[in-house]
Amino acid sequence: MNILEFSCRQVRNLQRKMFGLRLSLWLQPGTQLCSVYRHSVHKLASLQKATLLPPKKVQGLLYPFNELEAYLDRSVDRTQFQLFHPSLEDMVKAEKLFYSSPSHKIDYYISAERLDHVPALKPPEVCFIGRSNVGKSSLIKGLFSLTPEVDVRVSKTPGHTKKMNFFRVGKAFTVVDMPGYGHRAPKDFVDMVEPYLYTRKNLVRTFLLVDGSVGLQKADLIALEMCEEIRRPYVMVVTKIDKCGSGTLLTNLLDVQDVVKTHTTSCFPQPFLVSSLHFWGIYLLRCFITHVTGSLRLTDTAPS
């Protein structure tokens, strides 16, 4: 073996050792390498990046209903689907509240199993409820995607969220991820959730999530009745709109809209369409949250 061959073998051995070290570090939770991987920002988390896309795609991201409007019969009233239609400028202002900073810290605060464990927080609160596996945690993770270090746990297993999880957005407002109802729901779901919805004084809006790919289920209608009995303002959010074709989604959406129109008095007339995977509707929902919590004064909410 000559000197050149020996040197090359040494280099290869050193490279293998370095690769093994990097791999072992990456696999260890809590290391810097793992942290960087886990905390990467989604390419569409910011409106600045989204607006670089072709105009038609940008419209679909900002106002998902626009993609379905062409399939609607002329006799269908579109007004109810566009009541909240803020400008791009207002969405940009709203987005700023979802960036964490030393003076505006966004973080996971606490989890609670019962109402007497819930912290007494002064800022306005919004909470998210829905059937297990409807995509609540994924949606909240999407809302907080500009601050990826916020620990929003997402699982493929239905019923993963077993507690009420509180996330503080500076001093502006608090977001609460509620346990899912239906399949694998916590045994004390009703005792946990209903008292909170009834008595939480700073709760300004409840977001009731419905899976857009399957439509309203029996459990959703029961949850809707509960929201009506409480007589506090709530909003319907149609999730997973990327999981089905336009025809199925439109049928399920019109069904939701019909129920809202004929069977509710406390529900905001406009359902919000979202896809946590493709970020459709995330910017609009961020803007609505800042609006209902009084964190942002909008210039105009009517479609131009």
Side-chain angles (χ1 to χ4, degrees):
M1 180 184 300
N2 58 37
I3 296 176
L4 180 60
E5 288 176 339
F6 179 75
S7 298
C8 289
R9 179 175 291 181
Q10 279 188 318
V11 170
R12 286 195 296 271
N13 287 338
L14 180 60
Q15 288 174 335
R16 280 196 291 268
K17 288 180 180 179
M18 291 300 296
F19 176 77
L21 177 62
R22 288 197 300 270
L23 184 61
S24 63
L25 284 172
W26 183 77
L27 291 173
Q28 291 176 10
T31 61
Q32 186 65 30
L33 285 172
C34 186
S35 176
V36 170
Y37 172 80
R38 194 171 60 237
H39 293 165
S40 59
V41 178
H42 192 283
K43 62 182 180 180
L44 292 177
S46 170
L47 264 171
Q48 183 179 6
K49 295 289 183 65
T51 51
L52 297 177
L53 296 171
K56 188 176 180 180
K57 286 191 175 181
V58 174
Q59 284 295 308
L61 283 166
L62 301 185
Y63 312 105
F65 176 73
N66 288 3
E67 296 293 304
L68 295 174
E69 193 172 4
Y71 299 98
L72 278 175
D73 188 87
R74 292 183 180 181
S75 61
V76 177
D77 182 13
R78 290 154 170 77
T79 307
Q80 301 300 307
F81 297 100
Q82 299 173 319
L83 293 173
F84 186 77
H85 200 281
S87 64
L88 178 61
E89 290 74 20
D90 278 334
M91 289 194 199
V92 170
K93 292 176 185 176
E95 183 174 281
K96 292 178 181 178
L97 283 165
F98 287 86
Y99 281 102
S100 189
S101 69
S103 60
H104 179 73
K105 190 176 181 181
I106 300 175
D107 61 359
Y108 158 76
Y109 180 54
I110 199 172
S111 296
E113 291 183 347
R114 298 197 309 270
L115 186 60
D116 55 355
H117 293 167
V118 175
L121 299 173
K122 292 183 178 180
E125 283 182 6
V126 296
C127 76
F128 290 78
I129 66 172
R131 196 164 47 86
S132 296
N133 204 34
V134 74
K136 284 186 292 82
S137 299
S138 295
L139 176 55
I140 293 173
K141 190 176 183 69
L143 292 172
F144 288 142
S145 56
L146 295 166
T147 308
E149 63 270 20
V150 175
D151 186 19
V152 183
R153 298 180 181 180
V154 179
S155 173
K156 292 182 179 179
T157 305
H160 179 71
T161 304
K162 299 294 185 183
K163 301 177 181 179
M164 296 180 283
N165 298 317
F166 291 74
F167 301 88
R168 295 182 299 186
V169 182
K171 296 179 180 179
F173 55 88
T174 304
V175 173
V176 188
D177 185 8
M178 308 295 278
Y181 52 78
H183 179 63
R184 297 191 65 182
K187 294 180 180 178
D188 53 353
F189 172 83
V190 174
D191 295 335
M192 185 191 308
V193 175
E194 277 202 27
Y196 170 83
L197 296 178
Y198 269 103
T199 63
R200 192 67 167 173
K201 293 182 179 179
N202 57 331
L203 177 64
V204 296
R205 202 68 90 239
T206 296
F207 291 89
L208 175 57
L209 276 56
V210 175
D211 188 332
S213 64
V214 298
L216 282 165
Q217 303 294 295
K218 184 177 180 179
D220 298 322
L221 295 174
I222 293 173
L224 187 141
E225 289 178 6
M226 179 182 68
C227 289
E228 282 296 307
E229 289 175 1
I230 294 169
R231 295 186 180 279
R232 300 181 71 169
Y234 65 102
V235 184
M236 301 286 281
V237 179
V238 180
T239 65
K240 301 185 180 182
I241 62 174
D242 57 292
K243 299 295 184 182
C244 60
S246 299
T248 299
L249 176 58
L250 194 56
T251 298
N252 292 334
L253 175 61
L254 291 176
D255 184 35
V256 168
Q257 182 64 14
D258 182 60
V259 170
V260 169
K261 186 177 180 180
T262 59
H263 291 81
T264 71
T265 57
S266 302
C267 187
F268 186 64
Q270 175 182 336
F272 284 79
L273 302 170
V274 296
S275 165
S276 302
L277 181 63
H278 298 290
F279 269 70
W280 299 334
I282 296 293
Y283 319 102
L284 185 66
L285 193 57
R286 281 179 185 157
C287 196
F288 187 76
I289 291 171
T290 61
H291 171 61
V292 297
T293 55
S295 306
L296 177 67
R297 185 183 293 274
L298 302 180
T299 54
D300 188 13
T301 62
S304 56

